[in-house]
Amino acid sequence: YGLGADDAAVLHNSNRIAVRLRPSGVLARVAPLAHRLDFEVEIARHLAGTGSPVAGLDPRAEPRVHVRDGFAVTLWTYYEPTAAPENHPPAPYADALARLHAGLRRINLAAPHFTDRVADALRVVEDPAVSPDLGAAERALLTDTLHGISRAILDRGTRQQLLHGEPHPGNLLATADGPLFIDLETACRGPVEFDLAHAPEDVAAHYPGADPWLLADCRILSLALVVSWRWDRDDQLPDGRGRGREWLAQMQAALDRRERAASGGR
C-alpha cells in the first residue's frame, strides 16, 4: 500500500501484538490465524458510518484481514493518546459508551452471546488438563459462580443488544478526537450492564437507565470470566496468576455482599 514501515514499536503484547509503524501512522494488530480478526474488522466497517466513538481502520489500506506467514494482520489508524487509561473522567466515559451502544443498535451482525463466553470459561475451569494449577476449592467456586450468576442475569429478562464485550479503561483511548474505543474482537450480545460492568464503578452513575442490581451481577460475572482465563495453561497475560488471585478475592467479596443483600443485610 506504499505505507512507510521503517520503524516498529510494540505497544501491547498479550494474546496478540499491537505495533505502531512509523512514519506511516499505522497501528498493526498481529495475531495467530485462530483469532477472530475478521469479525472485528466487520464491526468496525459497519460502525464507520454511525458516528460511534471507535478507532477506525486505516483508510489507505483495504479494510480486511491480511494473512502473512501464518499470522493475521489488520491495519488501523494510530491515535496519539492524550491521557493515561486510568485518567478517563467518568462522565465522558459513560457518554462514549452510551453512544457506542446506540451505534451498535443500528447494525445487524451475527455475534456470540455473553453466555458463549461463559461456556468458554467453564471449559477452562472444569478441565484440570486445561487449568492444572487451579485449586479444587477455587475450581468449585468459579464453576458455581459462572453457572449461577449467568443464570440470574438471564432470568431478569432485560433487553439485550450487540455490545463491545470488554470496554474497560485499557480499551478506551483518550485522543484529540475525544474518547475512542478499541479492540472490538470481544463483541457479543447481552444487556448493556454487561459492558458497563467492565468500566470503573463511578462511570455507572453517568450512564442513563442502568439497572444497579443487574450491574452488580454483571460485575461478578466479569470477574469470574477474567479469573477463569488467568488459569488457562496457555494464558500469556503478564503476571496473569497474580492478577487472577487479586480478582478472585474481589469476586468473593462481591459474592459476600450479594448474599448479605439477599438476606436483608444480616
Side-chain angles (χ1 to χ4, degrees):
Y1 296 107
L3 303 174
D6 300 327
D7 180 59
V10 176
L11 305 181
H12 181 73
N13 181 7
S14 184
N15 58 346
R16 63 177 178 174
I17 299 174
V19 184
R20 180 186 181 184
L21 303 179
R22 299 186 182 94
S24 59
V26 172
L27 180 79
R29 292 180 182 156
V30 186
L33 288 177
H35 280 257
R36 302 169 59 241
L37 299 191
D38 53 340
F39 179 60
E40 181 179 34
V41 167
E42 192 67 12
I43 293 177
R45 289 179 58 205
H46 279 75
L47 285 175
T50 67
S52 299
V54 293
L57 293 158
D58 193 296
R60 298 168 293 179
E62 287 183 74
R64 64 178 179 85
V65 177
H66 308 268
V67 177
R68 182 66 61 89
D69 298 330
F71 291 94
V73 182
T74 53
L75 303 177
W76 304 78
T77 299
Y78 174 77
Y79 299 87
E80 191 71 45
T82 60
E86 61 270 18
N87 294 330
H88 292 301
Y93 195 137
D95 177 70
L97 187 56
R99 289 189 291 120
L100 175 60
H101 288 157
L104 289 167
R105 286 193 291 270
R106 293 174 57 187
I107 65 178
N108 184 23
L109 283 176
H113 196 260
F114 81 89
T115 53
D116 295 320
R117 192 175 301 179
V118 172
D120 289 339
L122 283 167
R123 280 190 283 271
V124 172
V125 301
E126 291 181 338
D127 188 347
V130 178
S131 51
D133 297 331
L134 184 61
E138 291 80 6
R139 193 182 303 278
L141 174 62
L142 285 168
T143 299
D144 291 346
T145 302
L146 289 165
H147 279 296
I149 299 296
S150 58
R151 174 48 57 191
I153 292 171
L154 290 173
D155 286 347
R156 294 188 74 88
T158 304
R159 176 187 174 184
Q160 302 188 19
Q161 67 157 79
L162 186 61
L163 306 172
H164 179 286
E166 289 186 359
H168 54 69
N171 280 339
L172 182 63
L173 298 179
T175 77
D177 297 326
L180 299 176
F181 285 99
I182 60 173
D183 286 3
L184 298 165
E185 68 170 334
T186 56
C188 62
R189 293 193 175 274
V192 294
E193 285 82 359
F194 182 81
D195 261 2
L196 195 55
H198 291 79
E201 291 189 8
D202 54 0
V203 173
H206 300 274
Y207 190 98
D211 180 332
W213 298 105
L214 178 57
L215 177 58
D217 276 354
C218 286
R219 289 194 187 282
I220 294 172
L221 183 62
S222 67
L223 283 168
L225 290 170
V226 296
V227 170
S228 298
W229 294 323
R230 298 294 72 83
W231 262 268
D232 188 326
R233 65 186 178 193
D234 296 325
D235 182 54
Q236 297 181 33
L237 186 71
D239 190 29
R241 296 293 167 79
R243 296 188 187 187
R245 293 185 184 93
E246 177 185 344
W247 293 330
L248 183 65
Q250 293 177 18
M251 186 193 81
Q252 182 64 74
L255 286 168
D256 292 343
R257 289 193 297 272
R258 185 179 192 270
E259 184 175 352
R260 287 195 298 271
S263 61
R266 294 189 298 273

